[in-house]
Amino acid sequence: MAATQMEQLVSLCKRRGFIFQNSDIYGGLQGLYDYGPLGVELKNNIKAAWWRAMVYERDDVEGLDAAILTNRKVLHYSGHEDTFSDPMVDCKKCKGRFRADHLTDGKCPNCGSTELTEPRPFNLMFKTTVGPVVDENNIAYLRPETAQAIFTQFKNVVDSTSRKLPFGIAQIGKSFRNEITPKNFIFRVREFEQAELEFFVKPGEDEKWHEEWKQNRINWWVEQGLPRDRFRVYDQKPDELAHYAKACSDIEYAFPHGVEELEGIANRRDYDLGNHTKGQEEFNLEAHCHENPESTTKLCVRDEENNKWIIPFVIEPSMGVDRAVLAILTEAYTEEDLGNGNSRIVLKLKKHLAPMKVAIVPLKKNSPEIMAKCHELKKNLMKLGIGRVALENTGNIGKAYRRHDEIGTPLCLTVDFETLEQSPESVTLRDRDTMEQVRVPTSELAQYLRDYFAR
Ligand code: ATP
């Protein structure tokens, strides 16, 4: 199979309604994209698969959905105000701005000039003010990661659920980073979604859990249709680590533009809970950089073995949902030669991720009997709880199959004259990948589809 090109994906995404440029009618806004009718389904299905694996199928994780606007103090004591920056250089010739660590040969990627300024830190957080008075005291940030609210709500979650270590808090939501050079479609954007788990463990057990989460997350990616040989795990070197991390393993995937990070699995030790804690000096913290005279709470748990209060360590698998969409689309996109000069594009998505589950295709669109049966079937199938069901009313069965191959619909259901004439009444179901057809009595259809889409 030839490697999927970014242009093929961008074109498919626009043509079929997965992803559009934001503010398109005004020429767009750089680094922002909107998800269309099929994109929102795919993204929701990815998030649901993550939530299911992280929360529903485990006994040790609670969920959270926190606000995006964040009190300045949170991001001060987390270290983001001082250190959440990328090194930026300006090209003196064309005035372009770039991330210094993304330049490979010391030349401006726009004009090739070597006349660049010295790198200087550029803070990636979006700043705003809250309330009607615009001044220094009312500054807040759009969160640059979902994680911080998990740390600041740690005590509330523990107190309301009586959780004991080890346990985790999961959250999916928007994050914002004023990237110097957003690029590669939805890979590097300024507003994106993250699915993050903060898994709290006893100090000393962190390395074992880090390893455990690496394996866990790789297995999850394989279940979403990414073969093991298409990604690699890169353990960051000490000088590459974020300010809070003791270790970090990047799960990297072969995106159309190159091999880059899809998910990071960091050992954030006791850095965040420690920094947000009142009276840190009582604890034996591994590393903290700020005194904290402003916190009102100790973010700690009782270690029953030693009968003392401790600040847990945390392992954080952090997935970018938009990067997940891009990787899953890249992997699923297939061009197939059908012989005799015919070819088709098929999106070989796992069926739990497919935006449209079943397309009902009438053999003839101008037959009132066939159309009545199609509408009746659609009404019933929509209530099954399997997801979206479409009725393709074009009258061209070949075109309907091509369209649904291209958007990854696992099953096309055809209603023909035999459906109406034969007893028992039956329809054909065409499999997207094999193109094989089976006949199923309509009386068994609901159970057939429930079983087919059950996981
Ligand atoms: P990168 O090195 O690519 O800038 P990062 O190491 O800064 O990423 P993290 O802070 O570890 O990223 O964030 C966790 C995850 O959030 C990343 O693995 C990625 O999937 C996603 N992510 C981070 N920044 C962006 C972005 N600008 N656009 C889309 N997704 C992002």
Side-chain angles (χ1 to χ4, degrees):
M1 186 184 83
T4 307
Q5 305 294 318
M6 196 67 103
E7 302 79 57
Q8 294 170 312
L9 289 183
V10 175
S11 159
L12 175 84
C13 284
K14 175 150 191 195
R15 189 168 71 246
R16 295 302 190 190
F18 281 90
I19 300 165
F20 309 124
Q21 170 80 53
N22 170 268
S23 310
D24 203 7
I25 62 167
Y26 291 106
L29 186 55
Q30 220 201 348
L32 299 176
Y33 288 90
D34 297 338
Y35 286 78
L38 297 181
V40 65
E41 297 296 334
L42 173 59
K43 202 176 185 215
N44 281 345
N45 292 341
I46 294 171
K47 290 190 280 185
W50 187 90
W51 195 263
R52 178 178 166 143
M54 288 304 201
V55 183
Y56 297 163
E57 292 177 354
R58 299 184 65 94
D59 219 7
D60 54 4
V61 174
E62 300 288 346
L64 187 77
D65 181 16
I68 287 169
L69 283 172
T70 306
N71 186 325
R72 183 180 189 173
K73 289 177 192 167
V74 172
L75 292 156
H76 173 70
Y77 288 105
S78 70
H80 285 80
E81 261 196 338
D82 290 338
T83 53
F84 195 62
S85 54
D86 280 335
M88 180 170 72
V89 293
D90 288 11
C91 171
K92 292 183 187 163
K93 205 164 166 204
C94 73
K95 310 288 177 223
R97 290 195 149 165
F98 309 97
R99 249 177 87 165
D101 56 331
H102 283 179
L103 300 182
T104 43
D105 50 6
K107 285 189 188 149
C108 169
N110 265 1
C111 70
S113 165
T114 49
E115 279 188 61
L116 305 174
T117 60
E118 282 301 305
R120 60 197 185 285
F122 173 75
N123 195 295
L124 298 181
M125 289 197 294
F126 281 98
K127 214 183 235 184
T128 186
T129 50
V130 172
V133 181
V134 178
D135 73 20
E136 276 288 300
N137 299 323
N138 297 331
I139 287 175
Y141 292 105
L142 302 191
R143 63 185 178 197
E145 57 173 11
T146 67
Q148 287 307 319
I150 297 182
F151 301 129
T152 54
Q153 292 297 359
F154 175 79
K155 195 82 176 109
N156 281 333
V157 174
V158 171
D159 290 350
S160 56
T161 62
S162 310
R163 283 290 183 184
K164 304 259 182 297
L165 299 179
F167 78 95
I169 304 176
Q171 179 169 216
I172 300 177
K174 292 271 187 169
S175 290
F176 300 80
R177 295 183 189 178
N178 197 4
E179 294 281 353
I180 298 168
T181 36
K183 58 181 173 187
N184 298 319
F185 195 30
I186 52 169
F187 178 82
R188 186 173 301 287
V189 283
R190 289 183 168 136
E191 172 174 342
F192 54 98
E193 238 170 323
Q194 290 184 308
E196 297 196 298
L197 172 73
E198 304 304 320
F199 196 78
F200 301 99
V201 304
K202 279 189 187 170
E205 294 184 0
D206 50 313
E207 288 176 16
K208 179 189 90 185
W209 277 105
H210 192 196
E211 209 42 51
E212 163 96 18
W213 276 109
K214 260 201 276 195
Q215 296 316 318
N216 179 306
R217 293 302 301 148
I218 289 170
N219 293 341
W220 186 84
W221 283 110
V222 173
E223 281 168 29
Q224 311 317 309
L226 266 50
R228 268 171 216 274
D229 61 1
R230 295 275 289 157
F231 52 82
R232 66 172 189 211
V233 180
Y234 174 75
D235 291 316
Q236 290 186 12
K237 302 197 181 79
D239 63 338
E240 296 168 326
L241 292 170
H243 62 277
Y244 47 71
K246 166 176 165 182
C248 187
S249 312
D250 293 342
I251 298 183
E252 297 183 327
Y253 173 75
F255 288 97
H257 64 277
V259 179
E260 281 210 65
E261 178 180 335
L262 174 60
E263 166 161 358
I265 303 166
N267 180 343
R268 293 180 77 134
R269 53 195 171 167
D270 51 7
Y271 182 90
D272 298 271
L273 291 182
N275 267 324
H276 290 306
T277 279
K278 174 185 169 188
Q280 300 153 329
E281 52 289 347
E282 286 174 32
F283 301 96
N284 186 18
L285 290 178
E286 166 113 335
H288 67 257
C289 57
H290 301 285
E291 295 285 301
N292 192 333
E294 296 188 274
S295 170
T296 57
T297 307
K298 293 182 201 297
L299 302 176
C300 56
V301 291
R302 189 103 187 138
D303 180 357
E304 269 144 21
E305 260 171 44
N306 302 319
N307 203 22
K308 59 177 191 185
W309 292 96
I310 55 162
I311 295 196
F313 268 42
V314 66
I315 306 300
E316 175 198 69
S318 171
M319 166 180 100
V321 180
D322 309 77
R323 289 188 190 179
V325 170
L326 185 58
I328 285 166
L329 282 177
T330 304
E331 204 55 52
Y333 186 97
T334 316
E335 282 184 5
E336 263 180 17
D337 186 356
L338 301 175
N340 298 328
N342 292 322
S343 65
R344 65 170 187 156
I345 295 172
V346 201
L347 218 44
K348 294 193 170 175
L349 294 168
K350 292 274 178 189
K351 57 193 174 189
H352 68 282
L353 299 178
M356 200 66 81
K357 302 301 183 194
V358 180
I360 301 175
V361 185
L363 187 69
K364 261 184 160 243
K365 74 167 174 177
N366 42 18
S367 154
E369 296 88 352
I370 287 187
M371 286 316 296
K373 180 50 71 186
C374 286
H375 283 293
E376 180 196 318
L377 283 171
K378 184 175 182 202
K379 217 168 132 195
N380 293 337
L381 299 191
M382 283 191 320
K383 290 191 198 134
L384 281 185
I386 55 173
R388 284 203 67 181
V389 177
L391 172 52
E392 269 306 322
N393 201 359
T394 55
N396 182 332
I397 203 163
K399 254 194 181 163
Y401 286 165
R402 292 293 162 272
R403 175 183 153 73
H404 282 279
D405 287 346
E406 227 182 86
I407 66 172
T409 310
L411 293 174
C412 280
L413 182 160
T414 309
V415 176
D416 52 23
F417 287 109
E418 279 178 68
T419 307
L420 306 174
E421 287 159 9
Q422 280 191 347
S423 180
E425 194 182 77
S426 64
V427 293
T428 57
L429 288 177
R430 171 191 177 269
D431 181 276
R432 175 194 69 200
D433 298 342
T434 62
M435 295 189 278
E436 275 166 16
Q437 307 205 2
V438 289
R439 249 194 126 80
V440 179
T442 45
S443 58
E444 291 169 22
L445 197 55
Q447 198 51 48
Y448 184 98
L449 293 176
R450 272 201 209 98
D451 292 345
Y452 182 88
F453 287 106
R455 289 184 64 202

